[in-house]
Amino acid sequence: MNLEETFKEANTILDTLQKNGFEAYYVGGSVRDYLMDVNIGDIDITTNALPEDIQNIFPRTIDVGVEHGTVIVVINKTPFEVTTYRTETTYSDYRRPDSVSFTTSIKEDLARRDFTMNAVAMDRMFKIYDPYNGQLSIKNKEIITVGDPYERFNEDALRMLRAIRFVSQLDFKLNESTFNGIVKLASNVQYISVERIVQELKKLYSGVNVSHAKSLLIHSEILKFIPYYKKLNIEDIKKTNVHSLINEIIIQQILNENNHFKNELKLSNDEKNNIKNSLSFYNDLGENESPIILAYNYNEHIILNLKDIISENNFLNQQYLNQIDDILLEKSSLTIKSKKDLAVNGNDLMKTLNRHGGPWLKEILSEIEKNVLFNKLENNYETIIEWVNDEY
Ligand code: ATP
Ligand code: MG
């Protein structure tokens, strides 16, 4: 990996901070990724400069949480999070520290980080500072809390979900006592906001070892405290093979038809519609609907996604796969893609038949739509008007 290139812009931040008399290090995921020799995601920087120092030194900064010590520094349009060394004091809500105190010691800053693999610092010459043996845990592919797991998870319950998400993302194992800490404190997950839970679940499902992470969610019983999941059947969760949270929900809803989907996970409208349409498509497949109608009613993304879901989960009806192939074939030769593509509209019909609008309009339009779709009527203004005059 070309280090100089990857860290080029970020290095100017470390340089500048040092020239101004401060210490600065890379920390977190970027150092972990570098040590694992995989592509580096976002680069986080930690420094003993205070937020106001950082804002004074750099011409372009964005205030994202100065009270927590974080400032975004923008270099050539790339944003970098620069965070002041800090320690976290008491926690009373299992979510965030009651107060943040800055410290002048990098070692103390690293001590408040969640896992040893995330608590390795690297300076601008790419020299590593690793007081908690993070490199060893990366080498052993093991996730271990910095310090006592019970204490660390008791401070911040989100860390338990982060641990399990990293199992999937990095394909690491969970250290035994770290896992036992999760078992003891699983119920604290109920205090975490659903948005943050969902964020972690999405990362979990996009990881490379989803099944290991799912088995940890199950065995630690943390699942019992996650909205929506708590009402599912464990066997059903175990048996699915999916790579996104949305697809997991789609399958779970297929398996539990009576389980009314109440959006406990606060998903976006797009996501909700995606789930709704996928379920309706799956149902229609069982109803022997004509492939032309299904091709017309569902967009390609929904069809292809459901095809993946079915082919990767053999407990679902595999005969639907042939049906889906027929539907996809029809999709490419549909005469119209939506009502808007019809050569006539409601106004044309009202004029032709000299009638005021009303429910009859929708009926005739649907009839025209169907005939055009099945190639019984050419989608051409004169032809359709002539047909309407004959029929009505
Ligand atoms: P990635 O960006 O690949 O998801 P990351 O390790 O960089 O992984 P971030 O959420 O970007 O994760 O956090 C950056 C760093 O901040 C972490 O590596 C860790 O050192 C620290 N950190 C983040 N969240 C917590 C937390 N809840 N408790 C303690 N430390 C945390
Ligand atoms: Mg990161």
Side-chain angles (χ1 to χ4, degrees):
M1 187 187 310
N2 189 341
L3 271 184
E4 307 290 337
E5 209 37 56
T6 310
F7 286 96
K8 193 172 160 205
E9 284 167 334
N11 242 342
T12 68
I13 299 180
L14 267 58
D15 269 343
T16 309
L17 283 166
Q18 282 194 327
K19 283 195 185 114
N20 282 273
F22 297 108
E23 295 172 13
Y25 293 91
Y26 299 113
V27 74
S30 60
V31 179
R32 186 190 68 225
D33 293 341
Y34 156 67
L35 291 169
M36 289 173 65
D37 202 16
V38 299
N39 275 341
I40 288 169
D42 47 34
I43 296 178
D44 296 315
I45 294 167
T46 184
T47 176
N48 61 350
L50 291 170
E52 64 217 51
D53 298 324
I54 301 168
Q55 285 169 323
N56 286 333
I57 292 171
F58 295 97
R60 289 202 55 205
T61 59
I62 304 169
D63 173 358
V64 281
V66 167
E67 66 284 7
H68 301 113
T70 302
V71 173
I72 286 186
V73 174
V74 185
I75 305 285
N76 299 333
K77 293 187 180 154
T78 311
F80 295 93
E81 271 196 19
V82 183
T83 304
T84 306
Y85 296 164
R86 54 176 219 224
T87 57
E88 286 167 348
T89 45
T90 50
Y91 291 69
S92 49
D93 64 357
Y94 313 105
R95 285 188 279 210
R96 62 184 89 81
D98 299 331
S99 65
V100 174
S101 16
F102 296 132
T103 164
T104 51
S105 146
I106 175 73
K107 192 171 174 196
E108 267 180 34
D109 176 85
L110 295 175
R112 61 106 183 154
R113 293 177 181 273
D114 48 7
F115 307 111
T116 58
M117 64 179 188
N118 290 341
V120 182
M122 180 168 83
D123 72 13
R124 55 190 267 282
M125 306 308 286
F126 307 113
K127 206 173 135 261
I128 297 290
Y129 177 60
D130 181 17
Y132 304 104
N133 278 322
Q135 289 172 105
L136 183 68
S137 70
I138 292 171
K139 185 167 152 263
N140 295 338
K141 293 176 168 278
E142 191 173 32
I143 299 167
I144 311 175
T145 51
V146 179
D148 179 57
Y150 185 89
E151 261 173 45
R152 303 311 311 284
F153 292 143
N154 202 30
E155 287 168 352
D156 178 0
L158 186 71
R159 291 174 187 152
M160 297 188 279
L161 287 178
R162 281 175 58 87
I164 296 176
R165 172 264 274 200
F166 279 124
V167 163
S168 174
Q169 186 182 324
L170 306 173
D171 197 12
F172 277 24
K173 55 188 173 296
L174 201 53
N175 167 273
E176 197 179 320
S177 69
T178 297
F179 175 75
N180 290 333
I182 298 181
V183 171
K184 290 198 192 105
L185 288 164
S187 70
N188 281 2
V189 164
Q190 67 188 297
Y191 304 114
I192 304 175
S193 76
V194 65
E195 288 84 356
R196 300 190 79 179
I197 293 179
V198 164
Q199 212 176 18
E200 294 303 321
L201 287 175
K202 284 182 176 169
K203 289 186 182 169
L204 185 159
Y205 279 105
S206 62
V208 291
N209 201 342
V210 177
S211 67
H212 187 190
K214 281 211 286 189
S215 84
L216 292 172
L217 289 175
I218 293 167
H219 290 119
S220 64
E221 301 203 336
I222 217 170
L223 217 67
K224 291 188 179 164
F225 304 94
I226 298 181
Y228 181 72
Y229 281 78
K230 59 182 158 199
K231 65 182 186 186
L232 299 175
N233 179 336
I234 300 288
E235 289 311 310
D236 287 347
I237 297 175
K238 262 192 211 160
K239 72 183 185 189
T240 62
N241 174 22
V242 285
H243 311 287
S244 80
L245 173 62
I246 303 301
N247 284 357
E248 179 76 275
I249 296 172
I250 292 171
I251 301 202
Q252 295 303 329
Q253 290 301 117
I254 289 176
L255 292 171
N256 302 277
E257 282 172 44
N258 301 326
N259 172 4
H260 184 58
F261 182 64
K262 290 202 283 295
N263 202 22
E264 297 95 327
L265 294 173
K266 296 198 184 162
L267 301 174
S268 71
N269 285 338
D270 272 358
E271 292 168 323
K272 277 190 297 188
N273 285 333
N274 183 348
I275 295 170
K276 214 177 86 196
N277 290 330
S278 302
L279 292 173
S280 147
F281 179 51
Y282 190 84
N283 265 334
D284 284 356
L285 286 171
E287 300 284 328
N288 261 325
E289 235 337 335
S290 118
I292 294 182
I293 295 291
L294 293 182
Y296 181 66
N297 283 349
Y298 295 99
N299 74 37
E300 191 163 18
H301 161 76
I302 296 285
I303 301 174
L304 289 174
N305 186 51
L306 199 71
K307 180 178 172 179
D308 282 348
I309 292 181
I310 296 174
S311 59
E312 287 173 8
N313 291 276
N314 58 19
F315 53 87
L316 297 175
N317 191 336
Q318 298 299 300
Q319 282 165 3
Y320 288 173
L321 291 174
N322 292 332
Q323 255 174 282
I324 290 180
D325 284 337
D326 290 345
I327 293 165
L328 287 168
L329 218 59
E330 293 295 348
K331 189 105 193 146
S332 53
S333 57
L334 284 180
T335 50
I336 50 170
K337 290 202 165 61
S338 77
K339 264 207 177 69
K340 275 186 274 171
D341 294 341
L342 283 179
V344 299
N345 60 29
N347 274 331
D348 300 329
L349 297 180
M350 287 193 285
K351 259 190 252 159
T352 305
L353 297 175
N354 199 11
R355 281 178 73 179
H356 291 297
W360 64 272
L361 250 183
K362 211 173 158 196
E363 271 167 40
I364 302 190
L365 273 172
S366 297
E367 209 49 35
I368 298 173
E369 185 184 29
K370 216 159 95 195
N371 283 319
V372 168
L373 271 175
F374 285 98
N375 252 323
K376 291 183 185 152
L377 185 62
E378 201 191 328
N379 188 26
N380 164 292
Y381 183 84
E382 283 77 25
T383 320
I384 297 177
I385 294 296
E386 197 177 312
W387 179 87
V388 168
N389 275 323
D390 284 352
E391 296 283 322
Y392 295 93

